[in-house]
């Protein structure tokens, strides 16, 4: 997040991964080795230093540039409801056993021999009554083993009356909780298709039917039914039929009752007074708030042993109640069944040995306990796999109720076993088929491995040789499978089937650490993986592990919790309970115990993130963190070398003290505000933005004392340096912070500041308007008296901090980045609205507008006349040129003179205030030039997003402005951190595209090596000609793409495909009026290039997708900032802003109409040095050493040339100064490769070649005698110079001063009219030159 993206860093040793730009810098070309030996590199540069393989970075490609620091909506959309809405417990169970031992039912014909065991008891070993009681007791014990908290009641061979009585009593005791109803009907007839089960009469002489409809009435809901009898499917079908009827009837009755209540209330309302009507309004709303039906009968849970026409298995090797045995004793039943199916096991293992498997089911280290643990994992995994498309059903059946979950897990075994005997168990809700799931094979293997050791265990128990039980490898093998999936199959977001097993492994200390590490790798895949883990039920486990003191678990637990909270922040109460948050406070707190953890700073950053989420909009979390000394812990890491930690301690502090006076007092006591202010100069933009965000929340304090007010003023003064920050993200947070000050300080203080601002501006214009300024001052004072009283008015001083804030807001409202300007404009217009709503100031605004109305109209009329004349001349010239040109492309008319009426921003408050007033009253009569910082044309629409759709101009704007930076920062923990970036992943789309670009770049560089040897030939071959529609003042050719960028005087950029001669896109740079584009540069040319545009107002704008080839047709503004301030305007010639971009070091050198050359580190997005020019002229051109970026050479308007070494102090950086040129330095260039010649051209027509070690030029030749040189270009790799003068001739020279070609651009019929060339540029690699004439045509020349 805070480091630049490297181009294939993991493959730097691969030949395919070599950076092509390093070849460009190194100048390593074997064809020129011989010449290099005879002609050494100029300036004393060491050849070896240029052969260094420099790893290139892609600048302005970070997430903050792609998203403008705005959070996405994918996380909110991806979040699923994983929490259980309610936990229902099965508190009671009714076990109805109808065996009638000794008497077979009339509709069942049993085989001989036949299955006879009931609950693993032979009913014929004792007398019938004793056997029945023993079977009932055994069944009772089996259910209690599943859930010991459920109270079970037996009903053995009951009558109808007894059944009804017990059922009704059970519902009364259970209240609204769930009841388990188990029905064993082995001794009664099969259930009927009409929905009846059978019991007995009191004398056991008859079978009495019990309707399921009646049973539903007796038991109520919720209930889980277990039907263990033949033809049990009849019960489910009839039960669902009756349940649907009940639901329909219940809905109808509820609607009738609601209608009756509403009618009664309406009658009462007509008879009562208005106060009583209001009192009963809530009563009227009550019936609609109560759900019409609390419980749906159709949602009852049922488990049936077989289908409607099926009979229970009668195999004598099986128990008669095989379905109940699977549900209540799954391990024993599964072992018996596997032994029966595997004849090889019966040689030394008997059924009696299986029943005597050592251990207890609750002890996982014993054979029985381990098998039970494995069985739970297997069945849970099968359920998870088949119900992934039905997460709500999975939660309801396998997570909501422990009893229901156990029954359904065991039901999966029953389906597997009973299907092998031609019985199809049924359930409501219906589950997909699971009997042939692959996980059953893993279960069979685990059972085989356990039974294989059973004889040896038995011998050891009998006193034989000791034998130690070998634990199963099931869990380690499943973890290995999960690890393989993470390594090989995690490309697509498909949930692996081992995820529930990882859940079970967390219960084991042996595999816990490995399971947590694999779980963290899975969560690292993205929000979908976090949702999957939460849905499967991981949260209670990781919450419980926060109580573990194990040091080895801390790093992985912190990572897991960071991933969970990044997706779902609703876990604050969970962390508060049992003091789980203290786990992360201990990690964040500096102590020696944490030093053993690798990457401790990164884990502390995660802990700070977790605690920040814990405090977000959660007062109890803030208080808990205060008690845990989180503020002290965060401030201890302010100077930590890890930028991620520095960023998150700021954000954590912001969330702790947000709207918390006590926390701010603690921070003030520890000088926390000063320490955070120091981070405003951090090297990482995210850290600076985080510090600004923290200070913004610190300033949002409504209850201020005098001491706190002074502290806040000091914070604002310290934060004013942010205005010159290169990152729009940081500047926007500064605007948000200032909006808090405006909101809490009150508008009266800023009204006074606004009035003084107008007074100062009026004083600068004329002394006649001083009285009006005094009027405003009196108005502001009267407003303070009116709103806040006289004491508040006296406290407001014209030299106060509020004047500084107001001026800062005015400057930020014209910020070059639209997001910053829009935010600041909202704050400025908030005060403007109050000013306009004040009668006295409103009157002043109207007078101010009328004073300038006449001047504006006259200026517009004059400007329109000039534009009409220019258009006529261009049309006439175009008609003449069209006869001569055979091929041209017309881009269409884009008249920038007339633009839609919009409110023009200005750093001058008077002009902004005047246009604001005019705009609201006469917007149809004024057409203003606009830029990127304009706002919508109608004031009501301007604030619709802030104040609502019907707000009027006098309505208050919603203040303060809300920041989205925190939510955007949280997205970092939803992005993969353990995997390599997609760009470095072989086979990915981005990787393949970059590899293709590298191969293409290598071919172009190889081609340039061949063609540069013939650069001394004639340059008269016209490669292509394009009509740009307007005169191009600047041209720029891309190194590798066939892109030519042309900038005109209308501040528009046209991107051409110079090989095809077709326009690709048109970019409006959005310059303010009377400004122009003065510089063009490409960035990241080896990959997806960016276009840098510099203007004479000191602003630099960076565009991506400048050619319109990406997902968006228009160019996208990546970043913009004011790279050069304090521009000195003069009546003479001005250079505007000129720059030199060094890709290898990420440095941008900017100069122009200023006294300094400002060095910007674009990776840090902040200035790193201001080099004093020590010259009276403006900087006209900058060049430098592209490898080390230490030597900078600048040409000036007075003809001098300065050489600077940035390794020295700013005031001593000038190491050489030449003054041989007597006029404006048209251009100066230091070659990137070849002999590294330094060439300069003067306005008087002379060209000079320099060596920085010499005190004078080493060669001079007159390129344009007695004529002014208007343009000059130098090829980066070949000894070629091009110059153009007002003699309407373009000349090509070599470094020895020998003229290679003379070009005479012309236009008109038969080329009878010569043209002046405005600008020249060489292709960085190929032997191609572009020239722009004053007729709008761009011509490309090559070697003949």
């Amino acid at each position: 997040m805070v480091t630049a993206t490297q181009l294939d860093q993991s493959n730097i040793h691969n030949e395919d991964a070599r950076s092509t730009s390093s070849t460009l810098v190194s100048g390593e070309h074997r064809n020129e080795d011989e010449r290099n030996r005879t002609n050494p590199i100029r300036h004393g540069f060491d050849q070896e230093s240029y052969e260094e393989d420099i790893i290139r970075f892609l600048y302005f490609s970070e997430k903050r540039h792609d998203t403008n620091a705005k959070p996405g909506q994918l996380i909110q959309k991806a979040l699923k409801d994983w929490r259980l809405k309610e936990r229902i417990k099965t508190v009671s169970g009714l076990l109805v056993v109808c065996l009638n031992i000794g008497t077979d039912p009339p509709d069942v014909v049993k085989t001989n021999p036949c299955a006879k065991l009931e609950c693993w008891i032979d009913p014929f070993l004792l007398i019938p009554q004793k056997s029945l009681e023993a079977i009932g007791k055994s069944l009772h014990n089996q259910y209690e083993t599943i859930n010991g908290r459920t109270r079970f009641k037996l009903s053995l061979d009951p009558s109808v009356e007894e059944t009804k009585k017990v059922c009704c009593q059970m519902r009364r005791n259970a209240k609204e909780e769930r009841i388990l109803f188990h029905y064993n009907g082995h001794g009664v007839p099969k259930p009927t298709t009409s929905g009846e089960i059978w019991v007995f009469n009191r004398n056991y002489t008859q079978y009495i039917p019990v309707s399921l409809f009646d049973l539903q009435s007796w038991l109520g809901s919720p209930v889980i039914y277990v039907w263990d009898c033949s033809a049990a499917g009849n019960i489910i079908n009839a039960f669902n039929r009756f349940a649907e009827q009940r639901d329909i009837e219940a809905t109808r009755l509820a609607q009738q009752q609601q209608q009756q209540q509403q009618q009664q209330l309406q009658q009462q309302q007509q008879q009562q007074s208005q106060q009583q009507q209001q009192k009963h309004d809530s009563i009227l709303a009550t019936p609609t708030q109560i759900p019409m039906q609390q419980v749906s009968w159709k949602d009852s849970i049922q488990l049936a042993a077989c289908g409607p026409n099926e009979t229970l298995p009668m195999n004598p090797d099986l128990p008669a109640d095989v379905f109940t045995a699977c549900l209540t004793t799954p391990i024993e039943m599964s072992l018996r069944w596997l032994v029966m199916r595997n004849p090889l096991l019966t040689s030394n293992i008997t059924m009696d040995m299986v029943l005597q498997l050592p251990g207890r089911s609750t002890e996982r280290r014993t054979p029985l306990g381990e098998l039970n643990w494995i069985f739970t994992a297997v069945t849970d995994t099968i359920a998870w796999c088949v119900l992934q498309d039905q997460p709500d059903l999975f939660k309801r059946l396998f997570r909501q109720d422990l009893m229901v979950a156990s029954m359904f897990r065991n039901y999966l075994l029953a389906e597997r076993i009973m299907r092998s005997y031609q019985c199809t168990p049924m359930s409501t809700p219906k589950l997909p088929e699971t009997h042939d799931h692959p996980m059953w094979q893993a279960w069979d293997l685990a059972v085989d491995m356990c039974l294989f050791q059973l004889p040896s265990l038995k011998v050891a128990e009998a006193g034989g040789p000791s034998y130690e039980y070998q634990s199963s490898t099931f869990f380690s093998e499943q973890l290995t499978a999960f690890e393989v999936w993470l390594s090989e199959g995690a490309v697509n977001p498909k949930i692996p089937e081992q995820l529930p097993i990882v859940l079970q492994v967390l219960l084991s200390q042996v595999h816990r650490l490995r399971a947590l590490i694999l779980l963290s790798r899975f969560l690292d895949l993205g929000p979908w993986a976090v949702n999957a883990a939460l849905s499967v039920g991981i949260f209670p486990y990781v919450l419980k592990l926060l109580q573990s003191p194990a040091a080895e678990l801390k790093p992985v637990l912190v990572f897991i919790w960071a991933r969970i909270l990044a997706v779902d922040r609703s876990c604050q109460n969970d962390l508060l309970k049992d003091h789980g948050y203290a786990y992360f406070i201990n990690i964040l707190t500096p102590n020696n115990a944490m030093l053993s953890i690798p990457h401790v700073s990164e884990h502390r950053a995660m802990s700070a993130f977790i605690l920040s989420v814990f405090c977000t909009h959660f007062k109890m979390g803030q208080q808990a963190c205060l008690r845990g000394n989180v503020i002290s812990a965060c401030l201890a890491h302010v100077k930590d070398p890890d930028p991620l930690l520095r960023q998150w301690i700021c954000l954590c502090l912001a969330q702790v003290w947000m709207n918390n006076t006590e926390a701010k007092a603690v921070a003030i006591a520890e000088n926390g505000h000063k320490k955070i202010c120091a981070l405003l100069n951090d090297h990482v933009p995210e850290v600076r933005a985080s510090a600004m965000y923290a200070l913004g929340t610190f300033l949002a304090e409504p209850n201020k004392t005098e001491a706190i007010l002074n502290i806040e003023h000091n914070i604002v003064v310290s934060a004013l340096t942010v205005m010159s920050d290169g990152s729009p993200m940081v500047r926007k947070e500064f605007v948000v912070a200032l909006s808090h000050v405006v909101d809490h300080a009150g508008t009266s203080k800023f009204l006074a500041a606004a009035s003084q601002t107008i007074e100062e501006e009026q004083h600068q214009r004329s002394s006649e308007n001083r009285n009006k300024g005094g009027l405003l001052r009196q108005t502001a004072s009267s407003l303070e008296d009116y709103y806040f009283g006289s004491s508040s008015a006296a406290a407001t001083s014209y030299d106060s901090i509020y004047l500084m804030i107001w001026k800062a807001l005015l400057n930020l409202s014209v910020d070059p980045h639209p997001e910053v300007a829009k935010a600041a404009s909202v704050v400025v217009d908030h005060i403007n609205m109050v000013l306009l709503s004040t009668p006295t100031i409103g009157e002043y605004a109207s007078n101010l507008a009328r004073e300038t109305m006449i001047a504006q109209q006259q200026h517009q009329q004059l400007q329109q006349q000039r534009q009409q004349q220019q258009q006529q001349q261009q049309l006439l010239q175009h008609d003449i040129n069209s006869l001569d040109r055979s091929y041209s492309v017309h881009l269409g008319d884009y008249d920038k003179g007339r633009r839609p009426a919009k409110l023009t921003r200005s750093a001058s408050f008077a002009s902004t205030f005047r246009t604001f007033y005019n705009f609201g009253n006469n917007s149809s009569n004024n057409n203003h030039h606009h830029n990127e910082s304009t706002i919508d044309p109608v004031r009501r629409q301007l604030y619709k997003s802030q104040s609502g759709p019907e707000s009027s101009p006098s309505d208050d704007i919603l203040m303060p402005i809300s920041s989205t930076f925190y939510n955007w920062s949280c997205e970092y923990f939803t992005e993969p951190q353990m995997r390599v970036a997609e760009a470095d992943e072989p086979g990915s789309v981005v990787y393949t595209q970059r590899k293709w670009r590298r191969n293409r770049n290598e071919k172009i560089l190889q081609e340039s090596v061949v063609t540069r040897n013939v650069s001394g030939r004639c340059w008269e071959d016209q490669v292509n000609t394009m009509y740009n529609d307007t005169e191009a003042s600047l041209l720029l050719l891309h190194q590798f793409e066939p892109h030519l960028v042309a900038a005109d005087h209308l501040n528009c950029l046209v991107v051409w495909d110079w090989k095809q001669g077709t326009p690709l896109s048109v970019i409006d740079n959005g310059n303010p009026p009377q400004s122009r584009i003065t510089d063009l540069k490409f960035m990241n040319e080896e990959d997806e290039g960016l276009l840098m545009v510099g203007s004479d107002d000191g602003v630099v704008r960076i565009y991506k997708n400048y050619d319109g080839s990406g997902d968006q047709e228009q160019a996208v503004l990546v970043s913009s900032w004011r790279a050069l301030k304090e521009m000195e305007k003069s009546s003479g010639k001005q250079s505007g802003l000129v720059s030199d971009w060094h890709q290898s070091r990420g440095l941008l050198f900017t100069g122009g109409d200023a006294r300094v050359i400002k060095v910007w580190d674009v990776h840090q997005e902040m200035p790193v040095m201001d080099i004093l020019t020590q010259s009276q002229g403006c900087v006209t051109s900058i060049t430098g050493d592209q490898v080390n970026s230490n030597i900078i050479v600048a040409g000036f308007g007075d003809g001098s040339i300065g050489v600077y070494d940035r390794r020295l102090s700013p005031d001593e950086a000038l190491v050489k100064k030449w003054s041989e040129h007597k006029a404006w330095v048209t251009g100066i260039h230091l070659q990137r490769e070849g002999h590294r010649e330094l060439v300069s051209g003067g306005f008087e027509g002379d060209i000079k070649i320099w060596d920085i070690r010499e005190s004078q030029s080493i060669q001079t030749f007159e390129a344009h005698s007695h004529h002014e040189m208007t343009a000059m270009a130098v090829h980066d790799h070949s000894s070629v110079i091009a110059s153009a003068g007002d003699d309407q001739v373009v000349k090509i020279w070599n470094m020895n001063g020998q003229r290679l070609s003379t070009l005479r651009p012309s236009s008109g019929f038969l080329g009878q009219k010569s043209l002046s060339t405005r600008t020249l540029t060489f292709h960085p690699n190929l032997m191609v030159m572009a020239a722009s004439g004053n007729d709008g045509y761009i011509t490309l020349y090559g070697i003949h």
Side-chain angles (χ1 to χ4, degrees), residues 315 358 542 582 820 847 863 1017 1038 1057 1123 1139 1277:
N315 188 331
V542 295
V820 181
N847 294 332
Q863 189 176 13
R1017 297 183 181 179
H1038 196 283
D1057 185 331
S1139 67
H1277 309 308

Side-chain angles (χ1 to χ4, degrees), residues 974-1118:
T974 65
E975 301 163 355
Q977 305 296 331
M978 296 185 181
R979 294 190 303 166
V980 297
E982 184 182 2
D984 300 329
E985 189 71 43
S988 66
V989 175
V990 179
Y991 179 89
T992 305
Q993 290 176 345
R994 287 186 173 175
K995 186 175 181 180
W996 177 86
R997 291 192 194 101
R998 283 196 302 271
N999 294 334
R1000 178 205 60 187
N1001 298 350
E1002 292 288 353
K1003 292 179 180 178
I1004 292 176
L1005 291 175
Q1006 292 173 4
E1007 180 184 352
S1008 68
V1009 173
V1010 176
T1011 57
R1012 75 183 55 173
N1013 294 328
V1014 294
S1015 61
R1017 297 183 181 179
C1018 183
W1019 283 70
E1020 296 181 356
D1021 187 16
Q1022 288 194 13
V1023 178
N1024 211 335
T1025 301
M1026 299 161 291
Y1027 181 60
N1028 196 55
D1029 200 37
T1030 56
E1031 179 183 345
S1033 58
L1034 290 173
L1035 294 176
L1036 182 65
L1037 284 164
H1038 196 283
Q1039 278 198 65
F1040 306 110
E1041 301 285 353
H1043 294 163
L1044 170 65
V1045 182
D1048 61 15
H1049 67 282
L1050 297 177
N1051 297 317
C1052 276
L1053 301 151
V1054 183
V1055 182
W1056 294 86
D1057 185 331
W1058 60 267
K1059 290 185 177 180
Q1060 302 296 327
T1062 57
L1064 302 176
S1065 66
V1066 179
I1067 305 172
D1068 184 358
N1069 195 47
N1071 283 26
Q1074 287 80 45
S1075 66
R1076 58 191 173 91
I1077 298 174
T1078 57
D1079 196 33
L1080 297 174
K1081 290 292 185 296
F1082 278 121
M1083 294 180 171
N1084 304 340
E1085 289 181 277
E1086 301 89 349
D1087 200 73
E1088 294 184 359
L1090 302 175
L1091 178 61
M1092 188 199 79
V1093 183
S1095 306
D1096 64 351
D1097 57 352
V1099 171
V1100 169
R1101 293 178 174 88
I1102 310 293
Y1103 295 98
K1104 69 177 180 180
N1105 192 39
Y1106 62 89
D1107 59 340
S1109 61
D1111 297 334
Q1112 300 178 354
E1113 295 181 358
Q1114 300 297 327
V1116 180
L1117 182 66
V1118 176

Side-chain angles (χ1 to χ4, degrees), residues 231-427:
N234 288 331
I235 301 177
I236 287 187
N237 294 335
F239 188 98
N240 292 337
R241 196 166 57 245
F242 293 148
E244 186 176 359
Q245 294 175 4
R246 283 182 177 275
D247 289 342
I248 294 174
E249 182 66 18
T251 302
R252 186 182 62 82
L253 291 176
Q255 291 176 349
Q256 289 181 356
Q257 183 180 5
Q258 184 176 1
Q259 292 175 358
Q260 292 175 359
Q261 290 179 356
Q262 290 179 349
Q263 291 175 359
Q264 293 175 0
L265 291 173
Q266 289 175 359
Q267 294 175 0
Q268 293 177 3
Q269 288 175 349
Q270 294 174 359
Q271 299 174 358
Q272 294 175 347
S273 63
Q274 185 175 2
Q275 294 180 353
Q276 291 174 338
Q277 290 176 5
Q278 295 176 355
K279 181 178 179 181
H280 286 282
D281 283 341
S282 60
I283 302 178
L284 179 63
T286 302
T288 60
Q289 295 176 357
I290 299 177
M292 293 184 299
Q293 185 178 348
Q294 294 183 353
V295 178
S296 175
W297 292 89
K298 197 175 182 180
D299 291 338
S300 297
I301 299 174
Q302 302 180 79
L303 300 174
C306 57
N309 302 315
E310 296 174 350
T311 304
L312 294 177
M314 297 184 185
N315 188 331
D317 296 330
L318 293 174
D321 60 345
V322 59
F323 185 66
T324 300
C326 290
L327 295 181
T328 57
T329 56
I331 303 300
E332 186 174 349
M333 186 65 231
S334 181
L335 293 177
R336 282 175 170 268
W337 183 66
L338 287 175
V339 170
M340 290 169 54
R341 294 183 60 195
N342 191 351
L344 297 177
L345 292 175
T346 57
S347 59
N348 57 352
I349 298 176
T350 62
M351 285 294 181
D352 294 335
M353 294 174 62
V354 172
L355 293 177
Q356 299 173 5
L357 190 66
R360 300 175 58 183
S361 59
T362 57
E363 297 179 0
R364 298 190 184 94
R365 296 183 180 181
T366 62
L368 180 59
E370 186 178 57
L371 282 182
N372 187 64
W373 185 23
I374 295 174
F375 177 80
T376 301
V378 169
T379 51
D380 209 40
T381 301
I382 294 174
W384 165 256
C385 292
V386 300
L387 294 178
Q388 280 192 23
D389 298 333
Q390 306 176 68
D392 292 336
L393 183 59
F394 177 79
K395 287 192 297 184
R396 181 186 168 207
L397 299 183
F398 292 91
R399 293 294 182 265
Q400 193 178 55
D401 188 341
L402 295 178
M403 188 72 187
V404 173
S406 299
M407 297 297 289
F408 266 91
R409 282 198 297 266
N410 300 343
Y411 171 78
L412 301 181
L413 175 67
E415 184 188 19
R416 185 192 187 200
I417 292 178
M418 299 199 70
R419 276 182 177 270
S420 65
Y421 296 102
Q422 290 73 50
C423 281
T424 308
M426 298 177 63
S427 67

Side-chain angles (χ1 to χ4, degrees), residues 25 45 50 54 56 59 1140-1149 1159-1160 1168-1169 1171 1183-1193 1204-1208 1230 1236:
V25 173
F45 290 151
Y50 303 101
I54 300 174
R56 298 292 181 172
Y59 297 99
D1140 191 34
W1141 165 242
H1142 292 198
Q1143 179 76 32
S1144 60
R1145 303 296 176 185
L1147 295 178
L1148 178 65
F1149 298 86
V1159 185
W1160 290 85
V1168 293
M1169 189 176 185
I1171 301 176
T1183 187
D1185 174 21
Q1186 287 282 339
V1187 176
N1188 295 318
S1189 304
N1190 293 326
I1191 303 300
I1192 306 300
V1193 185
Y1204 303 90
D1205 191 336
R1206 73 179 186 92
R1207 293 169 293 187
L1208 303 176
L1230 176 63
R1236 312 297 306 283

